[in-house]
Amino acid sequence: MSSDPRTSTQLGATLVEGGVAFALAAPHATAVELCLYDETGHHELGRHALRRDSHDSGGIWRIVLPGILPGSCYGWRVHGPWAPTQGLRFNPHKLLLDPYAREVVGRYDGSDLHLGHVPGQPLLRDNRNNAATALKARVVADLAPLRQPRPRIDPARRVLYELHLKSFTMRHPGVPEALRGRYEGLAQPAVLEHLRQLGITTVSLMPLAQRADEARLLELGLSNHWGYNTIAWSAPDTRYARDPARVRDECRAMVEALHEAGFEVVLDVVFNHSAESDASGPTLSLRGIDNRLYHACLKRDPGQYHNWAGCGNVLDLNQPLVLRLVMDSLRRWVEDFGIDGFRFDLAPVLGRDASPEHRFQTRAPLFMALAQDPVLRDCLLIAEPWDVGPGGYQLGQFPPGWLEWNDLFRDTQRAAWLHGHANPGRWAQALAGSSAVFGARAAHSSVNFVTAHDGFSLQDLVSYQHKHNEANGEANRDGHSHNLSHNHGAEGPTDDPAVQERRRQSQRALLMSSLLALGTPMLLAGDEFGHSQRGNNNAYCQDNALTWLDWESADLELCRFVAAVLALRHELPLLQARDWWRAPDDEAPHQAARAYWLTPEGLPLSARDWQRDHSVPMAIWLLPARPDQAACLWLLNPSAEPVTFALPPGRWRLRLDSHAGVSTACPLLFDVELAARSVQLAVACICDPD
């Protein structure tokens, strides 16, 4: 709390001595009104005109009101020109949500009452008052200091686990029914124990910020279940609160419980667009506050937006006040809730410059601001390194210290194990951390995954040849069509034991090779026990049993196998992402392992082998630089037939076998016959081949 109202420079609503300081950034507005409401948000108590800050030429409007207490609700009415073709969409008839809201009251219902324009007549201003159902912000007090120390996760040992809060807990038998789908549900002992036994280090939460579902989805009886349609970037979504009045406390308590259990917490954030969609969308917040400030409008047609996110608009982070909104929100999540890092959705949008070409820049304002910010600079930062705009594929181009989702790894692994047509050179690069892409950065920079929330689950990847998204209401047109999936002989569920076994073997091979490859592995929640979405590869709008993890039908054998893979990764330093593997002839003094890429006969792969257009069986022999570490041997056979491998020198002991699906410790005394489409990992005392 600020003791002097004049010292409050924050935007939004800030408690000060004796009252509340309100502030809004709207440089192009001609007047701003603050509308105060009671705690229910239903009864307006008064309106107050703000003054433009005389000390700030950036267009900040401020007022300090005495006697206002936490719990009060408020919204904005912003005056200015109505000139949609010029990108000016001021409409004081619409009550607007504060983009700095720390708690949101109400829920967008999709009604055309919230359009700034007359329905069907985009150039005419709609004069209906939407206050009765408009979203409102609540004045809140600061939370008490965080209790739990933040876990310190070794980047070389980090294992990401992506989950959706509601989907993960909604059917969990160990979560009390009243807490399922809630913040408190993820903090339950049974949930934490599953994560601990699995061996993950870092929970990567899908978006938690308050969202507004698209009107189209609401008309269909659906919702934006994944949450990638943010309307209030600093406010935890009340949908996940058992008591909406305590949403911030419950969200923070969940993070604290994860910290206490030793888990790092990463939050998926969506700063590439706002929930107000394209020019025909609703006026809920930024569009009515100062559309041309917050959104990137086309220079040749300011009434329309750039659409690099594919969601109708994008935020303009080249504007200092918009950059400030993003930075202030990120600090809120770190300081108020204890979040340890962020995964940035469609991150190239955030790095596009103001040039006519809107090029992506590694030194974009947001990236530079994050690098120097004392609160955020040490956070874990993860990029989804593509958007849908021109030049939007930027894998490997984010600043040092960032991690990036690696779709090259995903596609190469799928092609190798499910179709046998991955180029050996590209496949080896993927297994070796994609050093050609990230080699100037740390060896943990690549986030290695085979599946993520966006696309098939692992069970569906091996069960469906084609997507089945009819439930989404778009005639199966949505979602990716190029999935590199393989149904193994039957589309969807089958009672054929041979098909079922082939699917299980492919799952284990994909899991083992992705979780042990150099880099930072990421596991999608439910993949460890065979969760299916019945072939829907774009289940963003399905808040039902399709996406809720089916714990009662879990494949416990597969789950134990995944835990064994991760246990081996944690046990063996050579399988951790400490350094880039070095070539056999590299004698430079450092701690990196030497990697020998061998044919089944034990010979180095030839130039011809590397250039083949199909996957080839290979062995990866990793020799440590330190004498106290064990050597490792990967045997990989993506072919459709068994292959016999000659073992390199050493006393080898088999530790994992994807074909059998077991963790073992039996000695390997002779040559090894490796089953089709399977992986083995063996360990030996160090033995230099020279």
Side-chain angles (χ1 to χ4, degrees), residues 68-89:
I68 306 299
L69 300 175
S72 302
C73 296
Y74 70 97
W76 303 110
R77 294 189 186 273
V78 183
H79 300 254
W82 174 260
T85 59
Q86 298 303 309
L88 299 171
R89 298 177 177 273

Side-chain angles (χ1 to χ4, degrees), residues 594-611:
R594 279 184 287 167
Y596 294 79
W597 301 83
L598 307 175
T599 67
E601 296 76 21
L603 302 174
L605 269 73
S606 67
R608 182 180 178 184
D609 292 325
W610 288 121
Q611 295 167 5

Side-chain angles (χ1 to χ4, degrees), residues 24-39:
L24 182 70
H28 297 104
T30 58
V32 174
E33 292 178 287
L34 170 70
C35 299
L36 282 176
Y37 289 80
D38 66 358
E39 291 189 2

Side-chain angles (χ1 to χ4, degrees), residues 3 75 225 440 453 528 532 648 686:
S3 61
H225 175 56
H453 71 270
E528 72 270 27
S532 171
I686 187 168

